Amino acid sequence: MEQQKKITIADVADALGVSRTTVSRAISGKGRIGKETRARVMEYIEAHDYKPNVIAKSLAQSKTYNICVVMPGEYDVIDLHFFQECLFGIQEIAGAMEYDLLLAICKNNDVSSLDRVISNQKVDGTILMRTFVEDAQVEYLQSKKTPFVAIGSSNYQGVVQVDHNHRSACRELTSILLMKQMKKIALIGGDEGHVVNQSRIMGFREAYEAVGAQVDEDLLYLNLENNVMVDKKVDEIIEKGADCILCLDDAVCSRVLRKLREKEINVPEQIRVASFYNSTVLENNVPSITSLNFGAKEIGMVACQTLLDMIEGKEVSPRTLLPYQVVLKESTAWNG
Amino acid sequence: MEQQKKITIADVADALGVSRTTVSRAISGKGRIGKETRARVMEYIEAHDYKPNVIAKSLAQSKTYNICVVMPGEYDVIDLHFFQECLFGIQEIAGAMEYDLLLAICKNNDVSSLDRVISNQKVDGTILMRTFVEDAQVEYLQSKKTPFVAIGSSNYQGVVQVDHNHRSACRELTSILLMKQMKKIALIGGDEGHVVNQSRIMGFREAYEAVGAQVDEDLLYLNLENNVMVDKKVDEIIEKGADCILCLDDAVCSRVLRKLREKEINVPEQIRVASFYNSTVLENNVPSITSLNFGAKEIGMVACQTLLDMIEGKEVSPRTLLPYQVVLKESTAWNG
DNA sequence: CTGAAAGCGCTTACAG
DNA sequence: CTGAAAGCGCTTACAG
């Protein structure tokens, strides 16, 4: 496999009888340059398909035109589709600005993959696709003083973040359920260590406060680590006679629905179900599931734009909250 | 955000009173160098946390230490989990060899994102995570004479490829169904344009040939473009009295199961169901679904290793086929 | 075994 | 408006 010999800035300068400086300026648009000269250069470049060597440019400018995207490295990631769409959003904006995406994978707060990328100075900035309460990635990036933005909320000082307004969304969904006269709502879900789960739980509690009601702490099933736990808790929830199961996320929701089907308990006739998220996991479910709607691609786009602004030294808002929709479907139809 | 001033090779050379050449050699291990000198350099480097600037190294060596991974860009990608695991496999091998991953997204054979990366010479090679019968990516990469390997099979000449043995796997699964005395097996699925689907269909047909039976062409439902089509075809399949539905992939299978549930047709009592793939999509299904088992992470690792070998000029085998397992579950339990 | 020097392909003060 | 020259931080023949 022989690569075709690439033409360099010197080649085009020679061919046109101008200096490399001039060619460089014609391309970058920086510095004074004659209209006509510029036109000649551009024409030649076009005709001969000259592309500046980005590596050389990087070295000269100490800029890579790469950004690092940190993906979760667990296999059982709750909503892969979210990360995918989000990645597409990031890529769309990055691509438009001639930036490329370098991937780092962060599993259980292990930053070694991220460290390689950053220490090797391969990127101009980083996007974290997920945050933790105790966040090794954030701590690492802050110690390196390299620009980054987090998708999702972070409790750390000075982290530029863009998130969906999970708290409001969950508050609103919960309020609606309460308004629909559900009396015993069980909340079920996984790791409270995820900041997003904290926000969701907060919204859930606020909805109760707003109507002056008490959350039944006995119906809170959090930090469930696996499907077996979920199954067991569903049994308990049914025994306690809850009239609605609210799921912190769709992985849990999917399992809950499976368990209910196994127990031959009908939704929504015998119990209502809703989820604080809407992934494709539940897409084909019968009945359709009441949930929230967030734009994953949109959040990626906003995060990327924010990072690029930071890289270019612009002011950015420290926290951006994106809107949501509450989508009521069959699973919470109340006929009580 | 001020980056910490990075220490360069010149700094360590000065500090140690040696030349930059020597330092470079100590690090790379290339060229003769005194043991003791080398030790001194390494010690200093360690102590002062010196990391060579990869960009400069790239420029000097015309090598980037990046590889490009091309992901599918459709939102309704059949098995996201496959691509994720596969990506993890690639990353694991790449990381171990100090390579990073640059992402390109290829939607409907649009190679513009890939073109940016390649034209800008940002990578040393490329991994295609998916192939097509008419493959713009392959054509593009071949025209650029840049090393690449395809995950999945390709009909193009000279494409280095690593794939699971879908054909054998599907042949075997089909054989077993035939042995289990299923007489009317319907095959349902999407785009025949995917090479993988062609292999699957081929395996399916071979199983029939092996027992001297005829494929019932009336029971082949291919190129279904959306869920509505799938639903309609399931109706037809039932009317025709098929005793088993074999799905080309899990997206289709998931929809088929949904439709059967809606029609209140029990699996496996009234009809058997199996899939030519096993994604997490079907994980929670009741009954559990007979399907094939492929190692997604493994294929990523092998593909990456193959590419790295190519980059380093080693001979690689033009086609690697990875093994599979047939996993029989409840959905094909035969009690006829 | 070690070093001075040229080179990778750009950018960017500085001078004109 | 344009160019000569230095510089980005490495590597690598070549010479010693």
Side-chain angles (χ1 to χ4, degrees), chain B residues 244-274:
Chain B
C244 179
I245 301 179
L246 198 40
C247 305
L248 266 194
D249 63 62
D250 289 354
V252 169
C253 192
S254 171
R255 188 68 186 193
V256 165
L257 291 167
R258 178 190 189 285
K259 179 68 180 174
L260 291 174
R261 213 175 287 135
E262 206 177 76
K263 292 171 74 86
E264 299 189 350
I265 295 178
N266 286 331
V267 178
E269 294 79 4
Q270 295 168 266
I271 193 161
R272 268 59 55 196
V273 174

PDB file of all heavy atoms in Angstrom, chain B residues 244-274:
ATOM      1  N   CYS B 244     -42.564 -21.804  12.378  1.00  0.00           N
ATOM      2  CA  CYS B 244     -41.423 -21.154  13.019  1.00  0.00           C
ATOM      3  C   CYS B 244     -41.104 -19.858  12.279  1.00  0.00           C
ATOM      4  O   CYS B 244     -41.186 -19.793  11.051  1.00  0.00           O
ATOM      5  CB  CYS B 244     -40.208 -22.082  12.974  1.00  0.00           C
ATOM      6  SG  CYS B 244     -38.725 -21.367  13.719  1.00  0.00           S
ATOM      7  N   ILE B 245     -40.746 -18.824  13.039  1.00  0.00           N
ATOM      8  CA  ILE B 245     -40.306 -17.574  12.420  1.00  0.00           C
ATOM      9  C   ILE B 245     -38.837 -17.376  12.775  1.00  0.00           C
ATOM     10  O   ILE B 245     -38.465 -17.328  13.949  1.00  0.00           O
ATOM     11  CB  ILE B 245     -41.106 -16.354  12.913  1.00  0.00           C
ATOM     12  CG1 ILE B 245     -42.601 -16.536  12.613  1.00  0.00           C
ATOM     13  CG2 ILE B 245     -40.585 -15.086  12.259  1.00  0.00           C
ATOM     14  CD1 ILE B 245     -43.463 -15.371  13.100  1.00  0.00           C
ATOM     15  N   LEU B 246     -38.022 -17.275  11.734  1.00  0.00           N
ATOM     16  CA  LEU B 246     -36.594 -17.083  11.927  1.00  0.00           C
ATOM     17  C   LEU B 246     -36.301 -15.639  11.550  1.00  0.00           C
ATOM     18  O   LEU B 246     -36.670 -15.188  10.464  1.00  0.00           O
ATOM     19  CB  LEU B 246     -35.868 -18.059  10.999  1.00  0.00           C
ATOM     20  CG  LEU B 246     -34.418 -18.409  11.234  1.00  0.00           C
ATOM     21  CD1 LEU B 246     -34.114 -18.587  12.699  1.00  0.00           C
ATOM     22  CD2 LEU B 246     -34.103 -19.692  10.472  1.00  0.00           C
ATOM     23  N   CYS B 247     -35.654 -14.907  12.449  1.00  0.00           N
ATOM     24  CA  CYS B 247     -35.450 -13.477  12.206  1.00  0.00           C
ATOM     25  C   CYS B 247     -33.998 -13.214  11.821  1.00  0.00           C
ATOM     26  O   CYS B 247     -33.077 -13.709  12.465  1.00  0.00           O
ATOM     27  CB  CYS B 247     -35.796 -12.684  13.451  1.00  0.00           C
ATOM     28  SG  CYS B 247     -37.474 -13.020  14.050  1.00  0.00           S
ATOM     29  N   LEU B 248     -33.815 -12.385  10.814  1.00  0.00           N
ATOM     30  CA  LEU B 248     -32.465 -12.075  10.346  1.00  0.00           C
ATOM     31  C   LEU B 248     -31.663 -11.300  11.378  1.00  0.00           C
ATOM     32  O   LEU B 248     -30.446 -11.357  11.409  1.00  0.00           O
ATOM     33  CB  LEU B 248     -32.529 -11.250   9.064  1.00  0.00           C
ATOM     34  CG  LEU B 248     -32.468 -11.976   7.737  1.00  0.00           C
ATOM     35  CD1 LEU B 248     -32.200 -10.996   6.624  1.00  0.00           C
ATOM     36  CD2 LEU B 248     -31.367 -13.044   7.739  1.00  0.00           C
ATOM     37  N   ASP B 249     -32.365 -10.529  12.169  1.00  0.00           N
ATOM     38  CA  ASP B 249     -31.664  -9.813  13.239  1.00  0.00           C
ATOM     39  C   ASP B 249     -32.623  -9.535  14.387  1.00  0.00           C
ATOM     40  O   ASP B 249     -33.812  -9.814  14.297  1.00  0.00           O
ATOM     41  CB  ASP B 249     -31.036  -8.525  12.707  1.00  0.00           C
ATOM     42  CG  ASP B 249     -32.081  -7.559  12.207  1.00  0.00           C
ATOM     43  OD1 ASP B 249     -32.918  -7.130  13.021  1.00  0.00           O
ATOM     44  OD2 ASP B 249     -32.055  -7.231  11.001  1.00  0.00           O
ATOM     45  N   ASP B 250     -32.090  -8.970  15.436  1.00  0.00           N
ATOM     46  CA  ASP B 250     -32.869  -8.835  16.659  1.00  0.00           C
ATOM     47  C   ASP B 250     -33.851  -7.678  16.665  1.00  0.00           C
ATOM     48  O   ASP B 250     -34.835  -7.692  17.402  1.00  0.00           O
ATOM     49  CB  ASP B 250     -31.934  -8.695  17.866  1.00  0.00           C
ATOM     50  CG  ASP B 250     -31.232 -10.002  18.159  1.00  0.00           C
ATOM     51  OD1 ASP B 250     -31.562 -10.993  17.512  1.00  0.00           O
ATOM     52  OD2 ASP B 250     -30.364 -10.006  19.037  1.00  0.00           O
ATOM     53  N   ALA B 251     -33.587  -6.669  15.848  1.00  0.00           N
ATOM     54  CA  ALA B 251     -34.538  -5.565  15.770  1.00  0.00           C
ATOM     55  C   ALA B 251     -35.840  -6.118  15.218  1.00  0.00           C
ATOM     56  O   ALA B 251     -36.925  -5.882  15.761  1.00  0.00           O
ATOM     57  CB  ALA B 251     -34.004  -4.463  14.875  1.00  0.00           C
ATOM     58  N   VAL B 252     -35.705  -6.878  14.160  1.00  0.00           N
ATOM     59  CA  VAL B 252     -36.878  -7.502  13.563  1.00  0.00           C
ATOM     60  C   VAL B 252     -37.515  -8.470  14.558  1.00  0.00           C
ATOM     61  O   VAL B 252     -38.727  -8.491  14.749  1.00  0.00           O
ATOM     62  CB  VAL B 252     -36.484  -8.242  12.273  1.00  0.00           C
ATOM     63  CG1 VAL B 252     -37.629  -9.121  11.798  1.00  0.00           C
ATOM     64  CG2 VAL B 252     -36.084  -7.252  11.196  1.00  0.00           C
ATOM     65  N   CYS B 253     -36.680  -9.243  15.207  1.00  0.00           N
ATOM     66  CA  CYS B 253     -37.186 -10.245  16.141  1.00  0.00           C
ATOM     67  C   CYS B 253     -38.002  -9.590  17.252  1.00  0.00           C
ATOM     68  O   CYS B 253     -39.078 -10.056  17.618  1.00  0.00           O
ATOM     69  CB  CYS B 253     -36.021 -11.037  16.734  1.00  0.00           C
ATOM     70  SG  CYS B 253     -36.544 -12.507  17.630  1.00  0.00           S
ATOM     71  N   SER B 254     -37.484  -8.496  17.740  1.00  0.00           N
ATOM     72  CA  SER B 254     -38.159  -7.790  18.808  1.00  0.00           C
ATOM     73  C   SER B 254     -39.550  -7.348  18.358  1.00  0.00           C
ATOM     74  O   SER B 254     -40.541  -7.470  19.085  1.00  0.00           O
ATOM     75  CB  SER B 254     -37.316  -6.579  19.205  1.00  0.00           C
ATOM     76  OG  SER B 254     -38.015  -5.762  20.082  1.00  0.00           O
ATOM     77  N   ARG B 255     -39.607  -6.870  17.144  1.00  0.00           N
ATOM     78  CA  ARG B 255     -40.889  -6.413  16.608  1.00  0.00           C
ATOM     79  C   ARG B 255     -41.846  -7.587  16.376  1.00  0.00           C
ATOM     80  O   ARG B 255     -43.044  -7.487  16.621  1.00  0.00           O
ATOM     81  CB  ARG B 255     -40.662  -5.647  15.304  1.00  0.00           C
ATOM     82  CG  ARG B 255     -41.900  -4.966  14.777  1.00  0.00           C
ATOM     83  CD  ARG B 255     -42.327  -3.832  15.699  1.00  0.00           C
ATOM     84  NE  ARG B 255     -43.593  -3.253  15.289  1.00  0.00           N
ATOM     85  CZ  ARG B 255     -44.074  -2.098  15.762  1.00  0.00           C
ATOM     86  NH1 ARG B 255     -43.395  -1.421  16.676  1.00  0.00           N
ATOM     87  NH2 ARG B 255     -45.221  -1.640  15.352  1.00  0.00           N
ATOM     88  N   VAL B 256     -41.275  -8.659  15.893  1.00  0.00           N
ATOM     89  CA  VAL B 256     -42.089  -9.857  15.656  1.00  0.00           C
ATOM     90  C   VAL B 256     -42.719 -10.320  16.971  1.00  0.00           C
ATOM     91  O   VAL B 256     -43.916 -10.613  17.045  1.00  0.00           O
ATOM     92  CB  VAL B 256     -41.231 -10.991  15.056  1.00  0.00           C
ATOM     93  CG1 VAL B 256     -41.959 -12.330  15.138  1.00  0.00           C
ATOM     94  CG2 VAL B 256     -40.873 -10.664  13.611  1.00  0.00           C
ATOM     95  N   LEU B 257     -41.932 -10.346  18.009  1.00  0.00           N
ATOM     96  CA  LEU B 257     -42.427 -10.802  19.302  1.00  0.00           C
ATOM     97  C   LEU B 257     -43.536  -9.892  19.819  1.00  0.00           C
ATOM     98  O   LEU B 257     -44.529 -10.343  20.391  1.00  0.00           O
ATOM     99  CB  LEU B 257     -41.272 -10.851  20.308  1.00  0.00           C
ATOM    100  CG  LEU B 257     -40.238 -11.950  20.029  1.00  0.00           C
ATOM    101  CD1 LEU B 257     -38.993 -11.719  20.858  1.00  0.00           C
ATOM    102  CD2 LEU B 257     -40.828 -13.324  20.321  1.00  0.00           C
ATOM    103  N   ARG B 258     -43.335  -8.616  19.602  1.00  0.00           N
ATOM    104  CA  ARG B 258     -44.336  -7.651  20.023  1.00  0.00           C
ATOM    105  C   ARG B 258     -45.654  -7.922  19.314  1.00  0.00           C
ATOM    106  O   ARG B 258     -46.722  -7.946  19.924  1.00  0.00           O
ATOM    107  CB  ARG B 258     -43.851  -6.249  19.681  1.00  0.00           C
ATOM    108  CG  ARG B 258     -44.820  -5.150  20.017  1.00  0.00           C
ATOM    109  CD  ARG B 258     -44.315  -3.837  19.406  1.00  0.00           C
ATOM    110  NE  ARG B 258     -45.091  -2.696  19.853  1.00  0.00           N
ATOM    111  CZ  ARG B 258     -46.312  -2.414  19.423  1.00  0.00           C
ATOM    112  NH1 ARG B 258     -46.904  -3.203  18.555  1.00  0.00           N
ATOM    113  NH2 ARG B 258     -46.955  -1.343  19.878  1.00  0.00           N
ATOM    114  N   LYS B 259     -45.533  -8.130  18.026  1.00  0.00           N
ATOM    115  CA  LYS B 259     -46.729  -8.358  17.217  1.00  0.00           C
ATOM    116  C   LYS B 259     -47.441  -9.643  17.653  1.00  0.00           C
ATOM    117  O   LYS B 259     -48.666  -9.682  17.764  1.00  0.00           O
ATOM    118  CB  LYS B 259     -46.320  -8.442  15.736  1.00  0.00           C
ATOM    119  CG  LYS B 259     -47.451  -8.708  14.777  1.00  0.00           C
ATOM    120  CD  LYS B 259     -48.419  -7.536  14.686  1.00  0.00           C
ATOM    121  CE  LYS B 259     -49.556  -7.842  13.708  1.00  0.00           C
ATOM    122  NZ  LYS B 259     -50.568  -6.768  13.732  1.00  0.00           N
ATOM    123  N   LEU B 260     -46.664 -10.668  17.918  1.00  0.00           N
ATOM    124  CA  LEU B 260     -47.255 -11.936  18.349  1.00  0.00           C
ATOM    125  C   LEU B 260     -47.974 -11.759  19.687  1.00  0.00           C
ATOM    126  O   LEU B 260     -49.053 -12.315  19.901  1.00  0.00           O
ATOM    127  CB  LEU B 260     -46.178 -13.025  18.462  1.00  0.00           C
ATOM    128  CG  LEU B 260     -45.569 -13.491  17.137  1.00  0.00           C
ATOM    129  CD1 LEU B 260     -44.423 -14.461  17.386  1.00  0.00           C
ATOM    130  CD2 LEU B 260     -46.630 -14.127  16.238  1.00  0.00           C
ATOM    131  N   ARG B 261     -47.358 -10.982  20.535  1.00  0.00           N
ATOM    132  CA  ARG B 261     -47.964 -10.740  21.839  1.00  0.00           C
ATOM    133  C   ARG B 261     -49.308 -10.037  21.647  1.00  0.00           C
ATOM    134  O   ARG B 261     -50.304 -10.372  22.268  1.00  0.00           O
ATOM    135  CB  ARG B 261     -47.014  -9.875  22.683  1.00  0.00           C
ATOM    136  CG  ARG B 261     -47.054 -10.149  24.158  1.00  0.00           C
ATOM    137  CD  ARG B 261     -45.997  -9.340  24.902  1.00  0.00           C
ATOM    138  NE  ARG B 261     -44.645  -9.825  24.693  1.00  0.00           N
ATOM    139  CZ  ARG B 261     -43.597  -9.038  24.422  1.00  0.00           C
ATOM    140  NH1 ARG B 261     -43.742  -7.725  24.329  1.00  0.00           N
ATOM    141  NH2 ARG B 261     -42.412  -9.563  24.239  1.00  0.00           N
ATOM    142  N   GLU B 262     -49.293  -9.072  20.749  1.00  0.00           N
ATOM    143  CA  GLU B 262     -50.498  -8.314  20.459  1.00  0.00           C
ATOM    144  C   GLU B 262     -51.603  -9.234  19.936  1.00  0.00           C
ATOM    145  O   GLU B 262     -52.765  -9.092  20.279  1.00  0.00           O
ATOM    146  CB  GLU B 262     -50.172  -7.245  19.406  1.00  0.00           C
ATOM    147  CG  GLU B 262     -51.063  -6.036  19.421  1.00  0.00           C
ATOM    148  CD  GLU B 262     -50.582  -5.037  18.375  1.00  0.00           C
ATOM    149  OE1 GLU B 262     -50.831  -5.257  17.173  1.00  0.00           O
ATOM    150  OE2 GLU B 262     -49.948  -4.046  18.775  1.00  0.00           O
ATOM    151  N   LYS B 263     -51.185 -10.171  19.100  1.00  0.00           N
ATOM    152  CA  LYS B 263     -52.156 -11.110  18.519  1.00  0.00           C
ATOM    153  C   LYS B 263     -52.473 -12.250  19.482  1.00  0.00           C
ATOM    154  O   LYS B 263     -53.208 -13.173  19.144  1.00  0.00           O
ATOM    155  CB  LYS B 263     -51.591 -11.710  17.219  1.00  0.00           C
ATOM    156  CG  LYS B 263     -51.462 -10.722  16.073  1.00  0.00           C
ATOM    157  CD  LYS B 263     -50.695 -11.316  14.895  1.00  0.00           C
ATOM    158  CE  LYS B 263     -51.505 -12.332  14.112  1.00  0.00           C
ATOM    159  NZ  LYS B 263     -52.351 -11.724  13.069  1.00  0.00           N
ATOM    160  N   GLU B 264     -51.863 -12.213  20.643  1.00  0.00           N
ATOM    161  CA  GLU B 264     -52.061 -13.242  21.654  1.00  0.00           C
ATOM    162  C   GLU B 264     -51.743 -14.642  21.134  1.00  0.00           C
ATOM    163  O   GLU B 264     -52.485 -15.594  21.355  1.00  0.00           O
ATOM    164  CB  GLU B 264     -53.472 -13.163  22.237  1.00  0.00           C
ATOM    165  CG  GLU B 264     -53.697 -11.798  22.902  1.00  0.00           C
ATOM    166  CD  GLU B 264     -54.996 -11.719  23.684  1.00  0.00           C
ATOM    167  OE1 GLU B 264     -55.812 -12.651  23.558  1.00  0.00           O
ATOM    168  OE2 GLU B 264     -55.168 -10.738  24.422  1.00  0.00           O
ATOM    169  N   ILE B 265     -50.641 -14.698  20.407  1.00  0.00           N
ATOM    170  CA  ILE B 265     -50.151 -15.989  19.929  1.00  0.00           C
ATOM    171  C   ILE B 265     -48.973 -16.373  20.810  1.00  0.00           C
ATOM    172  O   ILE B 265     -48.034 -15.589  20.974  1.00  0.00           O
ATOM    173  CB  ILE B 265     -49.697 -15.872  18.465  1.00  0.00           C
ATOM    174  CG1 ILE B 265     -50.916 -15.559  17.584  1.00  0.00           C
ATOM    175  CG2 ILE B 265     -48.970 -17.135  18.018  1.00  0.00           C
ATOM    176  CD1 ILE B 265     -50.591 -15.367  16.130  1.00  0.00           C
ATOM    177  N   ASN B 266     -49.032 -17.534  21.395  1.00  0.00           N
ATOM    178  CA  ASN B 266     -48.005 -17.923  22.351  1.00  0.00           C
ATOM    179  C   ASN B 266     -46.775 -18.558  21.704  1.00  0.00           C
ATOM    180  O   ASN B 266     -46.894 -19.394  20.821  1.00  0.00           O
ATOM    181  CB  ASN B 266     -48.580 -18.928  23.362  1.00  0.00           C
ATOM    182  CG  ASN B 266     -49.488 -18.244  24.359  1.00  0.00           C
ATOM    183  OD1 ASN B 266     -49.301 -17.052  24.662  1.00  0.00           O
ATOM    184  ND2 ASN B 266     -50.485 -18.968  24.854  1.00  0.00           N
ATOM    185  N   VAL B 267     -45.614 -18.115  22.219  1.00  0.00           N
ATOM    186  CA  VAL B 267     -44.342 -18.711  21.829  1.00  0.00           C
ATOM    187  C   VAL B 267     -43.851 -19.515  23.025  1.00  0.00           C
ATOM    188  O   VAL B 267     -43.865 -18.995  24.148  1.00  0.00           O
ATOM    189  CB  VAL B 267     -43.327 -17.613  21.484  1.00  0.00           C
ATOM    190  CG1 VAL B 267     -41.981 -18.222  21.119  1.00  0.00           C
ATOM    191  CG2 VAL B 267     -43.851 -16.720  20.360  1.00  0.00           C
ATOM    192  N   PRO B 268     -43.436 -20.757  22.861  1.00  0.00           N
ATOM    193  CA  PRO B 268     -43.315 -21.511  21.611  1.00  0.00           C
ATOM    194  C   PRO B 268     -44.525 -22.390  21.304  1.00  0.00           C
ATOM    195  O   PRO B 268     -44.499 -23.093  20.304  1.00  0.00           O
ATOM    196  CB  PRO B 268     -42.113 -22.395  21.914  1.00  0.00           C
ATOM    197  CG  PRO B 268     -42.248 -22.711  23.359  1.00  0.00           C
ATOM    198  CD  PRO B 268     -42.849 -21.493  24.001  1.00  0.00           C
ATOM    199  N   GLU B 269     -45.575 -22.353  22.149  1.00  0.00           N
ATOM    200  CA  GLU B 269     -46.673 -23.294  21.959  1.00  0.00           C
ATOM    201  C   GLU B 269     -47.278 -23.221  20.560  1.00  0.00           C
ATOM    202  O   GLU B 269     -47.451 -24.233  19.885  1.00  0.00           O
ATOM    203  CB  GLU B 269     -47.772 -23.067  23.005  1.00  0.00           C
ATOM    204  CG  GLU B 269     -47.344 -23.385  24.439  1.00  0.00           C
ATOM    205  CD  GLU B 269     -46.513 -22.275  25.065  1.00  0.00           C
ATOM    206  OE1 GLU B 269     -46.327 -21.222  24.411  1.00  0.00           O
ATOM    207  OE2 GLU B 269     -46.048 -22.455  26.203  1.00  0.00           O
ATOM    208  N   GLN B 270     -47.607 -22.012  20.138  1.00  0.00           N
ATOM    209  CA  GLN B 270     -48.289 -21.892  18.855  1.00  0.00           C
ATOM    210  C   GLN B 270     -47.340 -21.675  17.677  1.00  0.00           C
ATOM    211  O   GLN B 270     -47.621 -22.063  16.566  1.00  0.00           O
ATOM    212  CB  GLN B 270     -49.341 -20.774  18.925  1.00  0.00           C
ATOM    213  CG  GLN B 270     -50.452 -21.120  19.921  1.00  0.00           C
ATOM    214  CD  GLN B 270     -51.328 -19.923  20.219  1.00  0.00           C
ATOM    215  OE1 GLN B 270     -51.083 -19.210  21.182  1.00  0.00           O
ATOM    216  NE2 GLN B 270     -52.323 -19.705  19.391  1.00  0.00           N
ATOM    217  N   ILE B 271     -46.255 -21.021  17.971  1.00  0.00           N
ATOM    218  CA  ILE B 271     -45.252 -20.840  16.921  1.00  0.00           C
ATOM    219  C   ILE B 271     -43.876 -20.682  17.563  1.00  0.00           C
ATOM    220  O   ILE B 271     -43.758 -20.145  18.667  1.00  0.00           O
ATOM    221  CB  ILE B 271     -45.585 -19.618  16.025  1.00  0.00           C
ATOM    222  CG1 ILE B 271     -44.719 -19.641  14.755  1.00  0.00           C
ATOM    223  CG2 ILE B 271     -45.385 -18.306  16.791  1.00  0.00           C
ATOM    224  CD1 ILE B 271     -45.271 -18.777  13.644  1.00  0.00           C
ATOM    225  N   ARG B 272     -42.858 -21.183  16.886  1.00  0.00           N
ATOM    226  CA  ARG B 272     -41.498 -21.054  17.384  1.00  0.00           C
ATOM    227  C   ARG B 272     -40.871 -19.786  16.811  1.00  0.00           C
ATOM    228  O   ARG B 272     -41.258 -19.330  15.722  1.00  0.00           O
ATOM    229  CB  ARG B 272     -40.644 -22.262  16.983  1.00  0.00           C
ATOM    230  CG  ARG B 272     -40.602 -23.405  17.989  1.00  0.00           C
ATOM    231  CD  ARG B 272     -41.922 -24.007  18.330  1.00  0.00           C
ATOM    232  NE  ARG B 272     -42.646 -24.461  17.153  1.00  0.00           N
ATOM    233  CZ  ARG B 272     -43.932 -24.750  17.126  1.00  0.00           C
ATOM    234  NH1 ARG B 272     -44.665 -24.639  18.226  1.00  0.00           N
ATOM    235  NH2 ARG B 272     -44.516 -25.135  16.024  1.00  0.00           N
ATOM    236  N   VAL B 273     -39.908 -19.227  17.531  1.00  0.00           N
ATOM    237  CA  VAL B 273     -39.211 -18.027  17.072  1.00  0.00           C
ATOM    238  C   VAL B 273     -37.720 -18.166  17.371  1.00  0.00           C
ATOM    239  O   VAL B 273     -37.341 -18.652  18.443  1.00  0.00           O
ATOM    240  CB  VAL B 273     -39.743 -16.752  17.777  1.00  0.00           C
ATOM    241  CG1 VAL B 273     -38.914 -15.542  17.394  1.00  0.00           C
ATOM    242  CG2 VAL B 273     -41.202 -16.512  17.445  1.00  0.00           C
ATOM    243  N   ALA B 274     -36.895 -17.772  16.426  1.00  0.00           N
ATOM    244  CA  ALA B 274     -35.452 -17.750  16.688  1.00  0.00           C
ATOM    245  C   ALA B 274     -34.851 -16.568  15.942  1.00  0.00           C
ATOM    246  O   ALA B 274     -35.454 -16.023  15.016  1.00  0.00           O
ATOM    247  CB  ALA B 274     -34.800 -19.050  16.240  1.00  0.00           C
TER     248      ALA B 274
END
